[in-house]
Structure formats: C-alpha cells, structure tokens
C-alpha cells in the first residue's frame, strides 16, 4: 500500500522528469530546425555577418555579335588563372583526419604536368615563396588555362588539394578578324567597349556576374553545407544587318583597288533599298580587333561614318530633285552653259572640261556633270529652299545608328552662303557629308523618294531567349514619286551615256550611277593642289532598285578623278547582285534622254 508520504516524492519525480523531457524535446526540435529545416537560411545569415565567409565572383560571358546569318563576329570564352597557397600545403599534407590523396612531392608533379612546367620547378618556386614569407597565402602559377586544364586541376582540388585555386575570366575573340572590324569595334583592358557595336550595344552585351560564398575550416577545406551560389547571367547576343561573307569580299577587293590607285584609304557601303539596312561596310584599312595596335588609331573608327568630305557631283542629283520637286523644271528644261562663266554677283564657275556654249537639258547637265549648268538650275529656287532639301536628304545630321565617332557633316545656313558658295552648293561643295549619308540619299532616290533611316542592328537576344527587336526605322517622303522617277531616269542615263559607261557596266543589269570628284581640304581653309577625294554611287536594277553601292577613295594618285573608283564599283555591284541572287533585268531601258535642247 502506497502511503501519502511516498506518493509525494514520486509525483515530484515524475513531474521533474516530464519537465526535463519537455526541455530536451524543445532543444531537439530547435536543433533540427537550425541544422536541417532552416540550415540554408542560417548559413546565409552567418556569411553576411562579420565577414565569416569567403566570397568569389563568378564571371559571366559578354554576349556575342553575329551577322545577319548568325556568323559569329565577336564572342567571349572563359579562361582560367591558377594559383595556390604555399603555407597551406603543409597543413593539407599533415591532416591525419583527412589525408590528401597525394603529398606535395607527388601532387606538384601532377599540377606541373597540367600547367606546362616541371614538378621540380614548381617545388622550387613554392620553396622560394615560403622562404620570402613563411605565411604566404599566394603564389601565381599560370594564366589563360583552357577548360580541359581547369577540369584536371579541379579534380585534384576536389580530391583534397585545398591549396589550389582557379579563377575564371572572360576573354574576347573575333573569329573573322578585320572583317567589318570597324563596325564590330573592340574592348579595352577593363572589358569596356571602345568603338563600334561593342560600345554602342554595351548594355545588351554586358553580363551580370554571379558569386559563390562558402566557409572553410582551419585546414582550408570547405565546410559542407556552407556554400551559397548566385549564378552569373551571360550578356545578350547582338545580331547585325551585315553579311560578313559579302563584307569580306568587298574588303579584299577595295583594298586591292585602292592600293592599285595609290589611294590613302577606301570604303564600300551597301544598303538595301527597301529597308535601309546596311548589308556591307567594307573599309581599307580596317582594324583587326584581335590586334588593335596593328592598325593606326585613325582607322579604329569607321571611315564610312566618321570621314567627312565634300560630295561633289554626286549631289547634283539633289539639286535636280529640288527644282523638279518645286515644279520649276523637269528633265527637259534647258539652260545655256559655257565651260567658264562669271555670274552677276561676281562668282566664277568652271566646268571640269573645256567646251563651247551648250544648250543643256537638265538630263544632259547631269550626264556631262556641268557645274555651270547646275549653278543656273540652282538659281531657279531660293537658296533657303535648296538648303532645306539638303537637310531633308540628311546633310548635317548623324544617322540614327549611333556609332561612336560618327560625324554629322557640315551644312551652313543659307544666310551664310557667300557669292561663290551660293553656286558651289549646287554641285556638292561648301558642305560635307559621310559615305553613309551619301548612301542614304541615293536610297531615297531609288526608293521612289521615300527615305528610310539606315540601320545596322537587327536585335538583341537576351540570355533567357527574349528577343528585343531594334526600333523600326523612320520613313519620310522627301520628294514626290514623280520627282524620284525623273531623277531615276536621268541617273540611268548618266550610267549609260556618261564617260565611264563601259567600265561600270554590269552585264545583264540596268544600273543608275553618279560620280563625284571633290577637292581635299588642306586644313588651313583651302584645298590641296591636284589632290581629290573621289566617289561613285549607284543602284541596281534600275527598273526596280534593290541595292545601293557607294565606293569612296581618298586621294588616289594614279587616277585623280572619280574614274579611279569605276572598277571597284563594277566589281562591288556585280558581287552584291550575285550574293543576293537578284534576277537580271527583263524590262528594256526607256529611250535615251537628249543631252541638248
């Protein structure tokens, strides 16, 4: 029989045990929560407080630049730099609880075989490093290891060689070298875009680096469960409108032709008429982004967009379009012109060749490229009107493309034109343009008077696959379709009746062209004697234009006129039509326009 005296102590014992078990249960629950349920959160918190963890960056790859067909023009690849902690070698070798698979004497041979040295040399380097600083934590071994080498070293590290460390970094490569090099651009030592698309599309191309944070024990081994990783996000892929194969051919060709003519430099620009897309931007010299220092710095930017020049006779077509569009003339309107004339305001204008007085048609003035005749046609409208048409054709304005280093050219207000420039502006002097602007002007003629902004970028495809299309180009009807039709017909007659007709002929195709020969500024307000910047621009097929081609040469010395560009133009246009499989002309040309009244 249990007495009251014995029941009291027993009850207290049971209660005490219950309390103890409850407390233990609470500790167990809390321990499970800390070590299992909320382990990741607590590890993350611990690494953020008091700098208790080690954080390393995970480099993302800069995005690629590809051409219209997906051919890679610029890409990034990961390479690895390897280092080790000399003072940690002894700690790892003497770790009895977790001995390494190889002691340093053997491990050094294995590491050396991967990085391309000898174990003897590696051991000597480590010994020298420790002699200088017995507590040394850093010895650089090798940079630029490839992925295979990295994996071999990572396997050794994972097996227990905790003193090894490999850091990744991204390097830029340009598989096609100088092909469209000035369009693609390049990076500086900090990985920042300096020119071309590398700079212009830096936001799309730039990666977002990730990170890895972990804790290590005193032996340098990573504590299991302490690792947290934020993945890097690679940059997007920029697709261009360029055709790299066509660009390659045109660069080789224009380099050969320019050197044959003794020119300082040369360019070829190809624009798709109905879209304004630049299909080729070939330049000589052209920078190779893999070897930037191999090209003079003056050619690191695109000459097509940064080199300005007086267009000369190529812009006589703009004067013709202006007076036709204003309703004061058509292709048959006549003026008389001698090879040299003095105008009432005292201006003196000369033609490039000697001739008696001719009664030109407007078509004939373009075919013979008469400065005197164009000056008289220009008088048919107010100077302000001519100025405004030049502006509508893009003179004095950068293209919307946005390439670094692009120049807008110069267009002075009509109020500042003096007695001479009042007339020289009718035949492409006293204002400057770029080759890109010249291509845009003739795209407008070829596209029935509708100007479509030039474009170089198709899209940016982000790392998650999202495609961001480039903004649609602006369209503007600069001249009427009737005006454009008359200018088109006159330009085709220039190609057929002009002095270069046989040299620029593309068998099977009707083409339209105009040449330009402009004096080269001497940098002191005058012009170089006998030195010219020359160009030719045209499109084909004339009956249904698809592509505009512009060829420029700076200061040729063999042929000093626009004739220097004829062969290059013929080869370029032939290759463009072949590349895009443009069908030969099937409609015959209209009857030739008369040059004289």
């Amino acid at each position: 029989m249990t007495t009251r005296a014995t029941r009291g102590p027993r009850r207290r014992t049971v209660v005490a045990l219950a309390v103890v078990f409850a407390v233990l249960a609470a500790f167990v629950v809390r321990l499970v929560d800390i070590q299992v349920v909320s382990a990741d959160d607590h590890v993350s918190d611990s690494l953020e407080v008091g700098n208790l963890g080690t954080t390393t960056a995970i480099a993302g790859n800069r995005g690629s630049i590809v051409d219209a067909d997906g051919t890679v023009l610029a890409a990034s690849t990961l390479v690895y730099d390897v280092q080790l902690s000399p003072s940690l070698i002894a700690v790892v070798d003497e770790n009895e609880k977790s001995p390494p698979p190889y002691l340093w004497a053997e491990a050094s041979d294995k590491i050396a075989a991967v990085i391309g040295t000898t174990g003897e040399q590696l051991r000597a380097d480590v010994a020298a490093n420790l002699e200088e600083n017995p507590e040394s934590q850093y010895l650089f071994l090798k940079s630029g290891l490839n992925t295979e080498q990295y994996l071999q070293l990572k396997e050794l590290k994972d097996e227990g060689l905790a003193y090894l460390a490999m850091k990744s970094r991204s390097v830029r490569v340009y598989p096609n070298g100088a092909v469209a090099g000035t369009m693609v651009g390049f990076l500086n030592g900090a990985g920042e875009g300096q020119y071309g698309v590398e700079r212009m599309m830096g936001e799309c191309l730039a990666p977002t680096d990730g990170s890895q944070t972990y804790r290590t024990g005193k032996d340098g081994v990573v504590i299991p469960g302490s690792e947290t990783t934020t993945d890097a996000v690679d940059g997007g892929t920029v697709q261009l409108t360029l055709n790299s194969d066509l660009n390659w051919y045109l660069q080789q060709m224009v380099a050969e032709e320019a050197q044959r003519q003794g020119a300082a430099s040369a360019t070829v620009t190809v624009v798709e008429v109905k879209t304004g897309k630049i299909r080729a931007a070939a330049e000589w010299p052209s920078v190779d982004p893999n070897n930037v220092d191999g090209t003079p710095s003056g050619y690191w930017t695109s000459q097509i967009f940064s080199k300005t020049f007086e267009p000369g006779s190529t812009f006589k077509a703009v004067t013709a379009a202006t007076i036709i569009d204003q309703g004061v003339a058509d292709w048959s309107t006549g003026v008389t012109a001698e090879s040299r004339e003095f105008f009432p305001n005292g201006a003196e204008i000369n033609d490039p060749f000697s001739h008696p007085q001719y009664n030109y048609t407007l078509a004939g003035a373009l075919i013979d490229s008469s400065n005197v005749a164009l000056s008289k046609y220009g008088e048919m409208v107010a100077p302000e009107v001519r100025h405004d048409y030049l502006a509508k054709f893009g003179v004095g304005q950068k293209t919307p493309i946005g390439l670094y280093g692009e120049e807008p050219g110069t267009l002075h207000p009509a109020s500042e034109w003096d007695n001479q420039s009042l007339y020289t502006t009718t035949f492409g002097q006293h204002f400057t343009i770029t080759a890109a602007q010249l291509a845009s002007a003739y795209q407008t003629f070829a596209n029935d008077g509708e100007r479509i902004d030039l474009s170089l970028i198709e899209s940016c495809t982000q790392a998650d696959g999202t495609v961001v299309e480039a903004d649609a180009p602006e369209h503007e009807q600069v001249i009427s379709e009737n005006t454009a039709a008359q200018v088109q017909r006159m330009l085709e007659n220039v190609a057929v009746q002009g002095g270069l007709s046989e040299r620029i002929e593309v068998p099977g195709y009707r083409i339209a062209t105009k040449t330009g020969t402009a004096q080269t500024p001497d940098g002191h307000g005058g012009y170089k004697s006998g030195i010219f910047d020359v160009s030719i621009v045209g499109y084909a097929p004339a009956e249904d234009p698809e592509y505009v081609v512009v060829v420029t040469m700076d200061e040729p010395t063999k042929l000093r006129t626009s004739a220097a560009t004829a062969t290059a133009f013929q080869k370029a246009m032939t290759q463009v039509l072949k590349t895009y499989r443009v069908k030969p002309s099937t409609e015959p040309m209209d009857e030739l326009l008369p040059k004289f009244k």
Side-chain angles (χ1 to χ4, degrees):
M1 180 175 181
T2 303
T3 66
R4 182 176 298 179
T6 58
R7 285 200 303 269
R10 186 176 298 172
R11 185 181 294 112
R12 286 193 295 272
T13 301
V14 171
V15 171
L17 287 173
V19 172
V20 170
F21 283 127
V23 172
L24 286 174
F27 275 116
V28 169
V29 170
R30 182 58 177 158
L31 190 60
V32 170
D33 175 68
I34 292 173
Q35 294 191 344
V36 180
V37 178
S38 303
D40 291 341
D41 293 337
H42 292 306
V43 168
S44 187
D45 290 341
S46 71
L47 295 176
E48 293 175 2
V49 179
N51 195 27
L52 299 178
T54 299
T55 300
T56 58
I58 301 174
N61 274 327
R62 186 175 176 87
S64 298
I65 300 173
V66 302
D67 78 350
D69 298 319
T71 299
V72 176
L73 301 176
S76 291
T77 184
L78 283 179
V79 296
Y80 302 87
D81 300 334
V82 59
Q83 63 193 54
L84 58 72
S85 175
S87 63
L88 193 57
I89 294 173
V91 176
V92 172
D93 277 4
E94 296 168 6
N95 188 343
E96 296 179 357
K97 292 182 179 180
S98 180
Y102 318 103
L103 295 179
W104 174 240
E106 184 180 359
S108 55
D109 288 333
K110 292 183 175 293
I111 295 169
V114 175
I115 66 174
T117 185
T118 65
E120 182 180 2
Q121 181 62 55
L122 181 54
R123 289 188 291 272
D125 291 341
V126 169
N129 182 268
L130 287 172
E131 183 177 354
E132 183 177 341
N133 177 13
E135 298 180 356
S136 173
Q137 296 288 321
Y138 176 80
L139 175 62
F140 178 76
L141 298 185
K142 188 71 178 287
S143 65
L145 299 185
N146 59 34
T147 301
E148 182 181 356
Q149 292 169 306
Y150 163 76
L151 291 175
Q152 292 173 0
L153 292 176
K154 184 176 184 299
E155 184 177 354
L156 293 174
K157 180 180 175 68
D158 292 344
E159 288 177 346
L161 303 188
Y163 43 75
L164 276 175
M166 290 78 69
K167 292 186 176 181
S168 63
R169 60 184 170 87
S170 181
V171 296
R172 202 67 165 160
V173 293
Y174 300 89
N176 283 281
V179 176
T182 51
M183 292 288 102
V184 174
F186 55 87
L187 310 181
N188 64 10
E192 301 164 334
Q194 295 300 288
Y195 295 94
V197 176
E198 290 279 30
R199 179 168 182 150
M200 181 176 71
M201 296 297 292
E203 185 175 347
C204 169
L205 294 166
T208 301
D209 287 347
S211 64
Q212 184 178 46
T213 303
Y214 54 89
R215 297 181 67 189
T216 58
K218 64 179 181 179
D219 58 358
V221 176
V222 175
I223 298 175
S226 70
E227 298 174 87
T228 59
T229 301
T230 301
D231 292 333
V233 179
D234 291 341
T237 297
V238 174
Q239 184 170 38
L240 308 184
T241 60
L242 298 177
N243 180 317
S244 60
D245 288 341
L246 177 61
N247 220 101
W248 176 85
Y249 170 83
L250 294 177
Q251 278 185 224
Q252 306 306 309
M253 180 276 294
V254 80
E256 179 182 335
E257 289 297 323
Q259 291 173 79
R260 190 166 66 86
Q261 294 296 340
S265 61
T267 72
V268 182
T269 310
V270 179
V271 171
E272 197 168 71
V273 169
K274 295 176 175 61
T275 65
K277 293 179 180 180
I278 299 176
R279 295 305 186 187
E283 306 183 51
W284 176 79
S286 179
V287 66
D288 180 349
N290 296 305
N291 180 26
V292 174
D293 292 333
T295 302
S297 60
Y299 296 102
W300 289 357
T301 57
S302 169
Q303 301 301 294
I304 291 171
F305 287 86
S306 65
K307 160 75 176 176
T308 59
F309 57 95
E310 292 184 344
S313 297
T314 56
F315 258 64
K316 287 174 179 173
V318 174
T319 300
T322 299
I323 62 174
I324 294 172
D325 210 50
Q326 286 292 298
V328 298
D330 60 25
W331 68 264
S332 65
T333 301
V335 297
T336 59
E338 297 181 17
S339 56
R340 180 185 184 189
E341 291 196 23
F342 291 90
F343 284 73
N345 69 354
E348 178 186 356
I349 304 298
N350 299 287
D351 276 348
F353 62 99
S354 180
H355 63 83
Q357 185 181 83
Y358 288 147
N359 190 9
Y360 275 119
T361 63
L362 180 55
L366 285 182
I367 293 168
D368 280 359
S369 204
S370 169
N371 297 338
V372 174
L374 263 294
S375 296
K376 292 185 176 182
Y377 284 115
E379 288 182 309
M380 295 180 179
V381 295
E384 292 76 14
V385 173
R386 289 197 288 111
H387 172 278
D388 290 347
Y389 270 88
L390 288 172
K392 287 201 294 183
F393 273 93
V395 179
Q397 307 157 45
K398 294 181 181 180
T399 70
I401 290 175
L403 276 176
Y404 175 70
E406 179 178 1
E407 293 291 336
T410 303
L411 177 59
H412 302 286
S415 60
E416 296 180 7
W417 294 356
D418 61 17
N419 288 356
Q420 195 72 16
S421 57
L422 180 67
Y423 296 104
T424 58
T425 47
T426 66
F427 50 85
Q429 293 185 8
H430 196 62
F431 62 89
T432 61
I433 64 167
T434 63
Q437 291 169 334
L438 180 56
S440 179
Y442 274 72
Q443 178 276 329
T444 303
F445 290 138
N447 199 42
D448 298 330
E450 183 185 39
R451 177 185 171 191
I452 302 175
D453 283 341
L454 300 185
S455 60
L456 179 66
I457 307 298
E458 289 280 11
S459 63
C460 168
T461 301
Q462 298 172 351
D464 63 1
T466 301
V467 179
V468 181
E469 301 286 348
D471 292 338
E474 295 290 333
H475 293 235
E476 180 185 2
Q477 194 71 36
V478 174
I479 53 177
S480 71
E481 291 187 17
N482 175 65
T483 298
Q486 291 195 55
V487 174
Q488 289 171 4
R489 189 178 179 190
M490 289 190 290
L491 290 174
E492 185 174 9
N493 273 265
V494 172
V496 172
Q497 298 189 59
L500 298 177
S501 59
E502 293 183 0
R503 296 180 58 186
I504 63 174
E505 180 183 6
V506 180
Y509 295 89
R510 291 167 52 187
I511 63 172
T513 62
K514 189 72 184 82
T515 58
T517 303
Q519 292 174 289
T520 303
D522 60 9
H524 304 289
Y527 294 99
K528 296 179 181 179
S529 177
I531 302 297
F532 302 94
D533 291 334
V534 299
S535 60
I536 184 170
V537 55
Y539 55 81
E543 71 278 14
D544 184 17
E546 292 197 36
Y547 295 96
V548 171
V549 173
V550 176
V551 177
T552 68
M553 285 190 187
D554 294 345
E555 304 182 11
T557 56
K558 183 178 180 181
L559 289 174
R560 297 175 183 266
T561 68
S562 53
T565 62
T567 302
F569 175 84
Q570 196 277 339
K571 290 179 178 179
M573 182 62 81
T574 300
Q575 187 64 31
V576 169
L577 297 172
K578 182 189 302 183
T579 296
Y580 290 104
R581 300 185 180 185
V582 178
K583 294 180 180 179
S585 298
T586 56
E587 301 177 16
M589 178 183 175
D590 292 337
E591 62 179 319
L592 296 179
L593 295 177
K595 291 169 56 176
F596 308 110
K597 294 292 287 184

